[in-house]
Amino acid sequence: PISEELVTVSKIAEDWSHHVLALSRLKRAAEAIPFVEKAVQAHPHDISLQLALGRAYGSSGRREEALSAYEHAITIDPKHPYAWVEKGNLLSRMGRLEDALVSFDASLQLKPKNASEIRVIKADALIRLHKYDLAVKTLRPILRLGKEIAGVFALYGTAHFYLDNVTDALHYLESATVNFPEDSFAWTHLGLALIETNDRDRGLSALARSH
């Protein structure tokens, strides 16, 4: 209901960024595209509109067009950290993980306010590339925030699991499931780590929680 209300209010206000956000949550992002495209035509150098258009395209499966929108946003303002993050997230979803890392690093160099969250999504890409040492290095500076930011403990523990540091893996994965009990990724890797230590019953129970 909140998203439905935001769709209406943001359209009236021509707040296309929030309009796209609300429709994306409702799986209806394609409805926003004609309105945002028209706004972009009128204001081609408005970076917020370019980002909104990229999100609308991306949420509608039009990934190449989304990528073009993000790249245009970066052309407008190369020092806009969130344009780089949006591009990195899209590239990650496209499976272009090495390119995504370049975008995440570009954003982090600009010292955005949400740098900790960007470190998390960067670590996720590193783990998918089997670069576990680099994932650990990326997350270590923000471990103190592990109870507040989803993914910190889960990814840090998972990286240690694949580095055969099972003791550390268990500690952080258990912490992840305590602080974020709906994190299926954490439950899955906790289950694998428990089975690795021959704690089969608890391991299977954790894997069951991941579904």
Side-chain angles (χ1 to χ4, degrees):
I2 295 173
S3 293
E4 290 282 7
E5 183 178 355
L6 182 57
V7 167
T8 302
V9 172
S10 59
K11 185 176 180 179
I12 293 172
E14 297 187 359
D15 180 353
W16 302 121
S17 293
H18 286 96
H19 192 64
V20 170
L21 175 63
L23 284 171
S24 295
R25 289 179 175 172
L26 296 168
K27 312 297 183 184
R28 292 162 43 196
E31 295 177 25
I33 291 175
F35 299 103
V36 185
E37 285 179 335
K38 184 177 179 179
V40 167
Q41 289 175 359
H43 306 281
H45 300 297
D46 187 323
I47 193 166
S48 66
L49 289 175
Q50 291 291 341
L51 294 178
L53 184 60
R55 294 185 199 109
Y57 282 144
S59 297
S60 304
R62 297 164 63 173
R63 290 179 170 178
E64 292 299 333
E65 290 167 286
L67 185 58
S68 294
Y70 292 141
E71 289 176 342
H72 189 66
I74 290 169
T75 299
I76 295 171
D77 183 2
K79 294 185 178 181
H80 195 296
Y82 304 111
W84 285 106
V85 172
E86 295 281 5
K87 180 181 177 181
N89 280 329
L90 176 65
L91 289 168
S92 182
R93 294 197 299 273
M94 295 170 73
R96 294 172 55 181
L97 298 174
E98 293 286 1
D99 292 333
L101 290 175
V102 172
S103 291
F104 294 144
D105 284 337
S107 178
L108 288 169
Q109 288 174 6
L110 296 168
K111 303 185 185 307
K113 292 181 180 179
N114 66 334
S116 296
E117 287 81 359
I118 297 170
R119 282 181 176 271
V120 171
I121 56 177
K122 176 185 174 182
D124 177 72
L126 287 167
I127 286 175
R128 290 165 63 191
L129 286 167
H130 310 296
K131 296 184 177 183
Y132 308 118
D133 283 323
L134 290 177
V136 167
K137 183 178 179 181
T138 297
L139 292 170
R140 188 176 290 127
I142 59 170
L143 280 179
R144 68 190 185 282
L145 301 174
K147 294 182 179 181
E148 304 168 27
I149 300 176
V152 174
F153 286 158
L155 292 166
Y156 195 74
T158 297
H160 276 294
F161 172 71
Y162 288 114
L163 290 169
D164 294 324
N165 300 328
V166 181
T167 300
D168 286 337
L170 284 172
H171 171 74
Y172 286 103
L173 288 167
E174 287 174 346
S175 296
T177 58
V178 168
N179 290 284
F180 299 95
E182 302 303 318
D183 188 340
S184 61
F185 180 90
W187 282 111
T188 295
H189 288 87
L190 175 60
L192 295 174
L194 286 166
I195 291 172
E196 185 73 15
T197 61
N198 296 317
D199 194 344
R200 182 177 175 80
D201 290 342
R202 288 183 62 211
L204 291 176
S205 177
L207 289 174
R209 288 286 302 270
S210 70
H211 297 297

